[in-house]
């Protein structure tokens, strides 16, 4: 059964592969697939239930795309996609994501040097062959080499960005939950702990019919290559080469199994030691009491993770904390911090509308979904003028302010802030004149270019922005795309110190490809008392779900609720905004 989500994924893959085939993301065909995807997303209906005739009535969907969607829903396959996959296997797609390797360069690399994967690209770099290709030189060769190294793209320890693994895991879990005789299914492992990169996907299923579940897994379209096939465990590789381990346990063992397979390994070892200290035994089947003969040990707990922690005199430890970095001592001693949770969040402070060139929903639409999400305030932060194409002039921003004021008048229950996402220039300069910037109710300043400057220059650049009195927060601190584009390098301690002393908030950006600031930086920020703000950076009404990802990243950084400014009630939050740098109120 093809789901709506599967169709969206299929269209995304068509966009990726057609970009390579047409050698440009701007080609007519690429735009057609992308527009269709956006149109279907905006339409919101279940695509699989629509006829070709109904599909082409949707904005952006042409005849050719409609017939591909029907082909996929009816047959489970798309001929065009199969052909493209042969020409552009995953190893090539992966190469195309390296900064500096565009579709045209890739084609020449394949034709002239026979480069087909990261390993052969590395070999060509080592032999100084890349620099001999037209359009490339020693500088671009060195840049590509550095990207490969910093992105961790080569070797057998290669890891998958969470943004690629999570959507697949969610789809697989949904598929498993809907099988007959399955009581529960859950993704575990590093993915549940919300690591930013994933070695493999681990899924635990509660069912009394292991063989039936395993048979369904083997038949799943993503199971390209079966590695292990047993009655309780199946491992397969997806077409992209990502391994998925699916294990079936009885419903009584589910808690013990999810605890074990969520890990981390180091967390498990500490927990098991705690059990051993009590004369007990902890494994993936349960927590067992003291008895000289293992076979006679009584079960203390096994159905739910919570019961196992409780029996070990621990408060429940949320998965993002399970890294053996002090969480067990805290949970059994003074207590874990009151971690920020999704339910605490009452506003989003990095939020775009179609005022931004890359925004796709209107002010009215974005405000309505914010209200539906239960928010008390929103900062509408469209791009400042310095971000070419996507930015707005001062006059456009003033008009936008009027527009927001009109929407505000219709919605007295939410506070709308007329904000701006300022662009941090190469040396820390910001958009507009300082007097104009000071008019905004709220700003987030972020890096969108110049990723290759020295760490010293990047540190100075960030500090210049942080010290600017019109800046309330710093967005996606490093500018990285996980596994795709390395972020800027800078002195983390110095930058955090500046954030603390200027009372500027550090954003935890929930976009899955960003998760920026990263959780290790968040933890250092928490230690220094730097204020945090968790945002979605939404450009469309469908993107508000990113808040959950931002919260999980903040939890991995041990972020307590009271340090996160968008958990504060409106009065407390506005007092902080208005008191920025002691300048008094905004507009
Ligand atoms: P990954 O896949 O490298 O991103 O990281 P994980 O944590 O998902 O590791 P994985 O897939 O090898 O194993 C899943 C979980 O199973 C792991 O987090 C903890 C548990 N586990 C695996 N091997 C061992 C082990 O040797 N001892 C213990 N206590 N637990 C283990
Ligand atoms: Ca794993
Ligand atoms: Ca695994
Ligand atoms: Zn943004």
């Amino acid at each position: 059964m093809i789901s709506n989500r599967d169709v969206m994924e299929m269209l995304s893959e068509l966009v990726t592969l057609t970009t390579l085939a047409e050698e440009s993301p701007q080609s007519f065909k690429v735009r057609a697939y992308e527009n269709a995807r956006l149109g279907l997303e905006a339409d919101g209906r279940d695509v699989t239930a629509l006829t070709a005739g109904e599909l082409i009535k949707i904005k952006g969907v042409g005849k050719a795309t409609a017939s591909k969607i029907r082909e996929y829903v009816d047959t489970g396959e798309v001929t065009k996609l199969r052909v493209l996959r042969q020409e552009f296997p995953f190893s090539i797609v992966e190469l195309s994501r390296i900064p500096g390797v565009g579709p045209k360069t890739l084609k020449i690399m394949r034709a002239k040097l026979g480069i087909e994967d990261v390993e052969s690209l590395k070999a060509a770099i080592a032999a100084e062959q890349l620099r001999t290709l037209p359009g490339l030189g020693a500088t671009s060769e060195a840049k590509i080499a550095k990207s490969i190294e910093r992105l961790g793209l080569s070797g057998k320890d290669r890891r998958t960005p969470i943004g690629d693994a999570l959507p697949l895991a969610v789809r697989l879990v949904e598929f498993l939950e809907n099988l007959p005789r399955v009581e529960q299914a859950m993704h575990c492992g590093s993915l549940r702990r919300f690591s930013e990169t994933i070695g493999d996907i681990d899924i635990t299923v509660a069912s009394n019919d292991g063989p039936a579940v395993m048979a369904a897994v083997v038949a799943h379209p993503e199971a390209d290559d079966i590695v292990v096939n047993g009655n309780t465990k199946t491992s397969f590789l997806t077409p992209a080469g990502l391994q998925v381990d699916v294990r079936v346990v009885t419903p009584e063992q589910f808690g013990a199994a999810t605890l074990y397979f969520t890990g981390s390994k180091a967390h498990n070892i500490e927990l098991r030691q705690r059990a051993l200290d009590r004369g007990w035994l902890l494994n993936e089947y349960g927590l067992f009491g003291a008895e000289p003969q293992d076979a006679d040990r009584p079960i203390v707990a096994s159905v739910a993770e919570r019961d196992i922690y409780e029996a070990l005199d621990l408060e429940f430890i949320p998965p993002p904390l399970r890294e053996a970095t002090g969480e067990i001592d805290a949970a059994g001693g003074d207590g874990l911090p009151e971690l920020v949770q999704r339910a605490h969040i009452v506003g989003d402070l990095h939020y775009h509308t179609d005022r931004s060139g890359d925004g796709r929903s209107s002010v009215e639409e974005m405000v309505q979904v914010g209200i539906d999400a239960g928010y008390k305030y929103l900062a509408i932060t469209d791009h400042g003028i310095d971000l070419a194409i996507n930015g707005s002039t001062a006059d456009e921003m003033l008009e936008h302010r009027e527009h927001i004021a009109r929407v505000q008048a219709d919605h007295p229950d939410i506070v709308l802030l007329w904000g701006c996402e300022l662009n941090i220039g190469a040396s820390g300069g910001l958009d507009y004149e300082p007097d104009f910037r000071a008019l905004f109710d709220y700003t987030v300043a972020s890096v969108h270019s110049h990723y290759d400057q020295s760490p010293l220059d990047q540190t100075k650049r960030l500090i210049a922005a942080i010290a600017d009195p019109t800046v309330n927060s710093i967005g996606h601190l490093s500018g990285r795309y996980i596994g795709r584009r390395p972020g800027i390098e800078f002195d983390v301690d110095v930058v955090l110190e500046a954030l603390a002393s200027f009372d500027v908030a550090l954003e935890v950006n929930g976009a899955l490809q960003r998760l920026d600031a990263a959780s290790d930086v968040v933890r250092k920020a928490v230690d220094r008392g730097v204020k945090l703000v968790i945002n979605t950076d939404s450009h469309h009404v469908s993107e508000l779900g990113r808040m959950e990802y931002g919260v999980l990243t903040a939890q991995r950084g041990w972020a307590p609720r009271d340090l996160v400014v968008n958990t504060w009630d409106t009065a407390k939050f506005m007092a902080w905004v208005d008191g920025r740098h002691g300048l008094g109120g905004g507009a």
Side-chain angles (χ1 to χ4, degrees), residues 140-154:
S140 33
E141 188 181 79
K143 189 179 167 200
I144 291 171
K146 191 174 176 206
S147 295
I148 293 174
E149 189 194 309
R150 289 196 56 206
L151 295 172
L153 286 180
S154 67

Side-chain angles (χ1 to χ4, degrees), residues 209-224:
D209 192 350
V213 175
M214 296 290 91
V217 170
V218 168
H220 192 277
E222 287 290 343
D224 199 39

Side-chain angles (χ1 to χ4, degrees), residues 189-190 198-202:
S190 51
I198 308 300
D200 66 8
I201 294 177
D202 300 279

Side-chain angles (χ1 to χ4, degrees), residues 88 159 262 320 442 493:
F88 303 102
R159 300 178 65 79
T262 296
Y442 180 89
D493 290 318

Side-chain angles (χ1 to χ4, degrees), residues 120-131 141 145:
S120 51
L121 174 56
K122 278 181 74 178
I125 291 169
E128 302 190 348
Q129 286 174 326
L130 212 56
R131 61 180 71 180
E141 188 181 79

Side-chain angles (χ1 to χ4, degrees), residues 425-505:
S427 320
L430 301 167
D431 322 51
Y432 313 111
E433 292 300 316
D435 287 351
F436 187 80
R437 285 203 301 275
L439 295 177
F440 289 111
D441 299 330
Y442 180 89
T443 65
V444 49
S446 10
V447 163
H448 298 101
S449 63
H450 300 90
Y451 297 101
D452 292 327
Q453 307 186 89
S454 73
L456 180 62
D457 287 344
Q458 301 286 29
T459 306
K460 287 189 197 161
R461 175 190 192 186
L462 287 172
I463 287 176
I466 292 165
D468 190 285
T470 66
V471 169
N472 295 99
S473 60
I474 299 293
H476 46 71
L477 183 64
S478 79
R480 69 174 180 177
Y481 282 150
I482 298 168
R484 306 271 194 277
R485 177 176 76 202
I488 60 171
E489 291 177 86
F490 56 90
D491 187 323
V492 174
D493 290 318
V494 171
V495 168
L496 292 178
E497 194 53 49
L499 286 165
S501 52
F502 287 98
D503 196 21
V504 166

Side-chain angles (χ1 to χ4, degrees), residues 350 352 383 421 537 539:
H350 186 164
H352 295 269
H383 290 292
E421 178 170 12
D537 198 357
H539 287 68

